[in-house]
């Protein structure tokens, strides 16, 4: 049925009153949407998935239009259903539980049609959605009790690999390098993707050897991850968020705290072993008991933490890849954040340790690999008959640096949902 204009306006006002249509939200739309033409499905159903981590919850959802098409075979014409739509990416801080539940509630108009089995929450009774990450277990009871939604939990690492493989293989301009501030897209041939090392930088870091679709092994990992750096930063600088850490690090100078090769050897560095004067010899090596914490600048501490964290991730990644004979290393995870200095540092470190043999590859939708993989786990999606050419990632005329908002205002999307037939 079609909603009256009055009902539509009332719904928009309700969402605005509940705080869903504002510019001060604990989520953002920094990742470009994906256009998915003629993606086959076997029924009309909700397509939404969650990756609930310790710090962030990532939501991937499809605003779609169902169409009928006719295909031919030896027995004649066959009617099929296709899914034309746009895949959207949203993330929240996990601690804002009520807000992201409200957001999911507001999106029901895009996913769930009105029928006799819709309950007061706006969702179908006994609705099941794909979810992954530790929070899929932690918050399962809350979703079941408050919204009558059951999580169909997908393995986290399997989802991350599936999402990375899909994005790298099917989405044009998904992979890129970032060196000295320059972003260059990388076209990866289907036949030349495997093997590669997937370094997923979250609160901790998982390092996964990927040898094919559904063929992978978690080689190792480190508990020294993005959560570690933010924990240190919170203690040392009173940063309230990881994004604040990134912002103040841009104004800092790590050399105020880090001991460099030049501090030891002088301006010539140590050329016999290819160590420049600016190379870091000891992280925080200049800190001593003669100076209190208040004597150091927060931005310098942030710069030192970020630089040394990213260098360490690059070094560990290379030391894992080298004995495996892997020449391609892809970096994903929410703690990369599309941050230019983070990517530049990883690229520099990997280039240094590999002696120029390995370049760091980043993904446009770095933080949503698990959520994408969980979405693809719906049996309603037949990945075996995807269109043979790479899918459209976004309007190329609007491309800019990583981090630009491509999505538009939430109000425009909500009104668009309200104007659809449901």
């Amino acid at each position: 049925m079609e909603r009256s204009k009055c009902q539509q306006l009332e719904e928009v006002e309700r969402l605005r009153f509940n705080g869903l249509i504002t510019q001060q939200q604990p989520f953002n739309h920094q990742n470009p949407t994906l256009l998915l033409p003629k993606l086959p499905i076997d029924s009309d159903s909700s397509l939404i998935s969650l990756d609930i981590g310790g710090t962030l919850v990532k939501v991937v959802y499809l605003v779609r239009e169902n169409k009928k098409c006719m295909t031919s075979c030896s027995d004649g014409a066959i009617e099929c259903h296709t899914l034309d739509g746009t895949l959207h990416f949203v993330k929240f801080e996990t601690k804002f539980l009520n807000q992201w539940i409200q957001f999911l509630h507001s999106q029901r108009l895009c996913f769930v049609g009105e029928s006799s089995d819709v309950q007061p929450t706006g969702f179908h009774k006994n609705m099941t959605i794909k979810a992954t990450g530790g929070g899929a277990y932690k918050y399962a009871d809350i979703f079941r009790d408050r919204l009558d939604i059951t999580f169909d939990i997908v393995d986290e690492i399997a989802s991350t690999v599936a999402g990375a493989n899909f994005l790298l293989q099917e989405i044009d301009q998904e992979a890129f390098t970032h060196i000295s501030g320059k972003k260059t897209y990388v076209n990866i041939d289907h036949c030349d993707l495997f093997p590669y090392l997937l370094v997923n930088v979250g609160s901790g870091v998982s390092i996964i050897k990927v040898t094919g679709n559904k063929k992978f092994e978690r080689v190792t990992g480190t508990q020294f991850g993005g959560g570690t750096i933010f924990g240190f930063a919170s203690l040392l600088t009173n940063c309230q968020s990881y994004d604040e850490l990134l912002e103040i690090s841009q104004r800092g100078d790590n050399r105020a705290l880090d001991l460099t090769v030049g501090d030891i050897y002088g301006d010539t560095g140590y050329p016999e072993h290819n160590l420049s004067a600016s190379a870091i010899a000891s992280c925080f090596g200049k800190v001593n008991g003669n100076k209190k914490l208040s004597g150091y600048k927060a931005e310098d501490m942030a710069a030192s933490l970020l630089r040394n964290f990213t260098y360490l991730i690059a070094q560990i990644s290379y030391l894992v890849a080298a004995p495996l004979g892997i020449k391609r290393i892809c970096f994903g995870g929410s703690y990369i954040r599309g941050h230019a200095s983070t990517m530049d540092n990883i690229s520099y470190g990997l280039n240094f340790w590999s002696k120029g043999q390995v370049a760091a590859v980043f993904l446009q939708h770095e933080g949503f690999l698990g959520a994408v993989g969980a979405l693809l786990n719906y049996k309603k999606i037949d990945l075996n008959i995807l269109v043979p050419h790479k899918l459209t990632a976004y309007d190329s005329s609007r491309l800019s640096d990583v981090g630009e908002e491509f999505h538009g205002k939430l109000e425009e999307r909500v009104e668009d949902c309200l104007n659809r037939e449901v």
Side-chain angles (χ1 to χ4, degrees):
M1 62 177 289
E2 183 174 342
R3 287 176 177 267
S4 69
K5 194 66 177 178
C6 180
Q7 288 175 312
Q8 294 172 16
L9 291 174
E10 287 177 353
E11 187 69 14
V12 170
E13 286 304 314
R14 182 187 65 79
L15 295 174
R16 183 180 288 109
F17 176 79
N18 287 339
L20 290 172
I21 304 178
T22 70
Q23 295 301 309
Q24 292 79 36
Q25 289 296 307
F27 58 87
N28 60 57
H29 302 281
Q30 293 180 346
N31 297 77
T33 58
L34 299 180
L35 306 179
L36 302 177
K38 297 181 176 61
L39 182 64
I41 60 171
D42 64 9
S43 66
D44 179 17
S45 63
S46 172
L47 286 178
I48 185 170
S49 62
L50 307 177
D51 178 3
I52 310 173
T55 306
L56 296 173
V57 54
K58 286 76 66 177
V59 182
V60 173
Y61 66 96
L62 191 62
V63 177
R64 80 267 199 254
E65 178 182 357
N66 290 310
K67 294 181 178 180
K68 291 183 178 180
C69 64
M70 301 298 294
T71 61
S72 60
C73 65
S74 57
D75 297 327
I78 300 176
E79 183 180 277
C80 68
H81 292 269
T82 65
L83 187 70
D84 289 3
T86 304
L87 203 60
H88 293 270
F89 303 83
V90 185
K91 62 184 178 183
F92 301 77
E93 289 185 45
T94 307
K95 64 184 179 181
F96 292 110
L97 176 65
N98 288 331
Q99 284 90 333
W100 51 272
I101 287 180
Q102 278 188 312
F103 176 78
L104 295 178
H105 182 271
S106 75
Q107 295 304 303
R108 74 184 191 275
L109 294 169
C110 298
F111 301 109
V112 182
E114 289 183 342
S115 65
S116 59
D117 66 345
V118 172
Q119 56 185 327
T121 61
F123 293 101
H124 280 204
K125 293 182 179 179
N126 303 315
M127 184 177 175
T128 300
I129 62 176
K130 299 292 182 180
T132 190
Y137 298 91
K138 182 177 181 179
Y139 297 106
D141 291 345
I142 293 176
F143 271 76
R144 185 186 63 247
D145 296 342
R146 290 178 56 177
L147 301 173
D148 198 21
I149 290 178
T150 300
F151 286 158
D152 183 3
I153 299 177
V154 186
D155 180 77
E156 183 176 359
I157 293 179
S159 295
T160 300
V161 172
N165 284 347
F166 174 77
L167 292 168
L168 289 169
Q169 290 176 304
E170 302 297 342
I171 306 302
D172 193 25
Q173 293 186 325
E174 176 66 30
F176 62 93
T177 59
H178 203 285
I179 302 172
S180 299
K182 182 179 180 181
K183 177 180 177 181
T184 305
Y185 289 106
V186 177
N187 291 320
I188 299 177
D189 191 293
H190 279 66
C191 300
D192 190 41
L193 173 60
F194 308 111
Y196 71 93
L197 202 68
L198 178 59
V199 181
N200 198 49
V201 185
S203 298
V205 179
S206 285
I207 302 179
I208 308 160
K209 177 184 177 183
V210 185
T211 55
N213 291 315
K214 298 185 179 181
K215 297 179 181 179
F216 60 89
E217 174 190 1
R218 185 183 185 276
V219 181
T220 188
T222 170
Q223 74 275 22
F224 192 87
T228 312
I229 297 306
F230 179 50
F232 283 144
S234 297
L235 293 172
L236 295 174
T237 71
N238 294 317
C239 284
Q240 298 301 304
S241 70
Y242 193 75
D243 290 316
E244 183 183 354
L245 165 67
L246 296 179
E247 192 277 323
I248 68 172
S249 71
Q250 297 300 107
R251 307 193 304 269
D253 185 353
N254 71 293
R255 293 171 298 180
L257 297 100
D258 295 339
L259 188 69
T260 67
V261 172
D263 293 324
I264 301 171
Y265 281 88
D267 293 341
T268 60
Y270 197 176
E272 291 84 357
H273 294 280
N274 194 33
L275 293 171
S276 67
S278 62
I280 298 173
S282 176
C283 172
F284 279 69
K286 288 181 181 177
V287 178
N288 55 60
N290 297 326
K291 196 174 183 179
K292 294 183 178 180
L293 178 62
S294 58
Y296 296 96
K297 295 180 180 179
E299 52 264 40
D300 293 340
M301 290 187 283
S304 178
L305 284 169
L306 184 64
R307 184 176 294 268
N308 285 283
F309 168 57
T310 48
Y311 281 173
L312 183 61
I313 294 302
Q315 182 181 15
I316 293 174
S317 301
Y318 172 70
L319 293 176
V320 173
L324 296 174
I326 293 177
K327 300 295 185 182
R328 175 177 288 129
I329 304 179
C330 298
F331 293 85
S334 297
Y335 278 88
I336 295 176
R337 286 289 208 281
H339 186 246
S341 294
T342 295
M343 295 185 290
D344 279 348
N345 290 342
I346 291 175
S347 297
Y348 176 86
L350 190 55
N351 179 74
F352 176 83
W353 287 104
S354 70
K355 295 180 172 59
Q357 297 303 303
V358 182
V361 175
F362 303 96
L363 289 90
Q364 191 78 29
H365 297 86
E366 59 200 5
F368 292 88
L369 306 184
V372 170
L375 188 86
L376 297 175
N377 200 259
Y378 280 106
K379 290 182 172 57
K380 301 172 181 65
I381 301 178
D382 187 353
L383 295 179
N384 295 319
I385 51 176
L386 276 172
V387 288
H389 58 80
K390 287 202 171 188
L391 304 177
T392 304
Y394 30 75
D395 182 355
S396 60
S397 66
R398 298 180 63 190
L399 278 177
S400 66
D401 292 337
V402 176
E404 179 179 344
E405 182 173 322
F406 290 81
H407 231 62
K409 297 178 181 178
L410 176 60
E411 181 171 4
E412 295 171 349
R413 297 199 339 277
V414 172
E415 289 181 333
D416 178 67
C417 292
L418 293 172
N419 287 325
R420 293 175 180 268
E421 289 187 1
V422 294

